[in-house]
Amino acid sequence: MHSLKVELGERSYPIYIGEGLFSPEYLTPHIHGRQVCVVTNETVAPLYLQTLLEALSGGGYTLETVVLPDGEKHKNLETLNLVFDGLLQARFNRQCTLIALGGGVIGDMAGFAAACYQRGVKFIQIPTTLLSMVDSSVGGKTGVNHPLGKNMIGAFYQPQAVLADVSVLKSLPVRELAAGVAEVIKYGLICDASFFVWLEENIARVMAGDTDALAYCVVRSCEDKAKVVAEDEREGGVRAILNLGHTFGHAIETAQGYGNWLHGEAVAAGMMMAVDLSQRMGNVPADLVERTRSLLLAARLPTIAPADMSNDDFLTLMAVDKKAMDGGLRLVLLEALGKAVVTADFDAQLLEQTLTQSRIA
Ligand code: NAD
Ligand code: GLY
């Protein structure tokens, strides 16, 4: 078992990474009060809910479960309300603890429910997808989608602990594993050049589901993310580099309908576009574009944007992105492998070229 800490003063919390983490040893110290509500979904519940409830059963808690419908298309206020219904029907008080058991959709929704319920109750993240282990469960971004924009309703709200039990990844479909690998590759590109090289050398092990390789990916990604979050919890500056490829990717997700392209798939195509634009601006060599493409393809990820999206579709949807709301469009671009910047200083014509190229190769 590996543990690390997200250093945020009084809001600091541990991330445990390993196997056998569904146990009182890791859960009990982070539970506040006597009422515990597990928020999960209809896919994850049959796989892991019983094991979690058994681990909690000796603690003398009042246990409640809310099982939500599965999918990004349900990440909305209407579904969120089902959590509040469950908590209120069970008469849960302000001293309760919520546990998010699932991927990023469940983590984001349960975290947002915890931020809102009775103006804030404690919660624990138990991420069950690679993407949620390496990204969404860490850093306190919680929320839901709005028909006009992804993740537009939400709050910064940190968990008490993150329990990333990599053994649950064995049941994850390979397409979902790949979506998580997109975010793993992101860390290499934005802040960890030697990890990028490690990934180039070990991508076959990762994609084959090798537990040690996956655990290494989770540890390294969480270390990278924890550093960035500790520096800039509320995304006033450097944290925005974690969104490499996301402005393009969110446009793809919104245009294609939530859930049709997985978040990680959209981020993969979006990162390709960000690296392409960085290269057109003369910041990175052409071979990094090819290395990124090869790595994404080896991870069975898309590198080409949807053929039915025009440059104007992209520009319109990208303008809704949170980073653009306070003015012009800002993008995360690379200055080198392992070094990202957030900038509004890019050539609009080069962006047009990148958008046009993105649907070709
Ligand atoms: P997801 O939560 O939809 O999970 C993917 C699928 O895998 C779902 O069908 C789920 O039920 C299933 N699943 C989960 N664990 C499983 C397991 N162990 N075995 C079998 N099936 C399993 O998707 P995701 O990729 O985990 O997360 C994507 C979401 O995360 C998006 O909504 C995105 O916006 C959000 N996100 C948030 C942050 C953040 O900082 N808060 C960062 C990145 C992404
Ligand atoms: N996934 C981006 C962030 O947490 O800031």
Side-chain angles (χ1 to χ4, degrees), residues 290-355:
E290 290 320 311
R291 285 172 69 188
T292 305
R293 195 190 319 279
S294 300
L295 187 52
L296 292 172
L297 289 173
R300 301 182 212 176
L301 285 161
T303 54
I304 302 173
D308 62 357
M309 283 181 74
S310 67
N311 289 8
D312 281 349
D313 290 338
F314 268 106
L315 292 170
T316 305
L317 288 165
M318 285 161 67
V320 181
D321 193 84
K322 288 190 285 299
K323 287 179 292 307
M325 288 217 142
D326 54 356
L329 181 62
R330 291 192 296 149
L331 292 172
V332 185
L333 297 175
L334 297 187
E335 286 192 329
L337 174 59
K339 187 166 181 354
V341 284
V342 186
T343 181
D345 186 16
F346 54 85
D347 184 322
Q349 279 187 332
L350 294 180
L351 175 60
E352 286 279 353
Q353 288 175 17
T354 288
L355 293 174

Side-chain angles (χ1 to χ4, degrees), residues 135-136 138-141 156 183 186-187 225 228-229 232-233 235 239-243 246 263:
D135 194 353
S136 60
V138 175
K141 279 190 182 176
F156 283 100
E183 300 281 6
K186 175 188 79 179
Y187 294 109
K225 181 156 186 180
V228 175
V229 169
D232 177 21
E233 181 184 6
E235 204 168 302
R239 182 166 178 167
I241 66 169
L242 295 172
N243 296 324
H246 285 56
H263 175 74

Side-chain angles (χ1 to χ4, degrees), residues 31-36 61 91-98 117-118 120-122:
I31 293 175
H32 293 245
R34 309 309 309 157
Q35 300 173 318
V36 178
Y61 305 114
R91 298 182 183 280
F92 269 35
N93 60 38
R94 291 193 66 194
Q95 276 70 48
C96 69
T97 298
L98 268 54
Y117 187 66
Q118 304 209 12
V121 298
K122 310 289 187 196

Side-chain angles (χ1 to χ4, degrees), residues 20 35 65 104 111 116 125 132 152 158 172 183 197 243 293 306 333 341 360:
Q35 300 173 318
T65 55
C116 299
Q125 288 274 18
S132 56
M152 282 290 147
Q158 302 293 345
L172 196 64
E183 300 281 6
V197 174
N243 296 324
R293 195 190 319 279
L333 297 175
V341 284
I360 300 167

Side-chain angles (χ1 to χ4, degrees), residues 72-91:
E72 184 75 32
K73 66 178 182 294
H74 298 291
K75 186 179 166 183
N76 54 34
L77 287 170
E78 197 185 345
T79 309
L80 186 74
N81 215 24
L82 298 175
V83 181
F84 301 133
D85 290 347
L87 291 168
L88 287 165
Q89 278 158 13
R91 298 182 183 280

Side-chain angles (χ1 to χ4, degrees), residues 41 43-44 47-48 70-72 75 102-106 108 128-132 135-138 140-142 145 150-151 168-173 176 179-180 183 225 239 246 250 253 262-264:
N41 74 21
T43 303
V44 177
L47 295 169
Y48 304 111
D70 186 5
E72 184 75 32
K75 186 179 166 183
V105 169
I106 287 296
D108 281 12
T128 61
T129 61
L130 180 62
L131 185 140
S132 56
D135 194 353
S136 60
S137 64
V138 175
K141 279 190 182 176
T142 70
N145 299 328
K150 199 173 146 55
N151 294 331
V168 305
L169 297 177
K170 290 193 173 75
S171 56
L172 196 64
E176 298 291 351
E183 300 281 6
K225 181 156 186 180
R239 182 166 178 167
H246 285 56
H250 286 170
E253 282 183 276
L262 299 181
H263 175 74

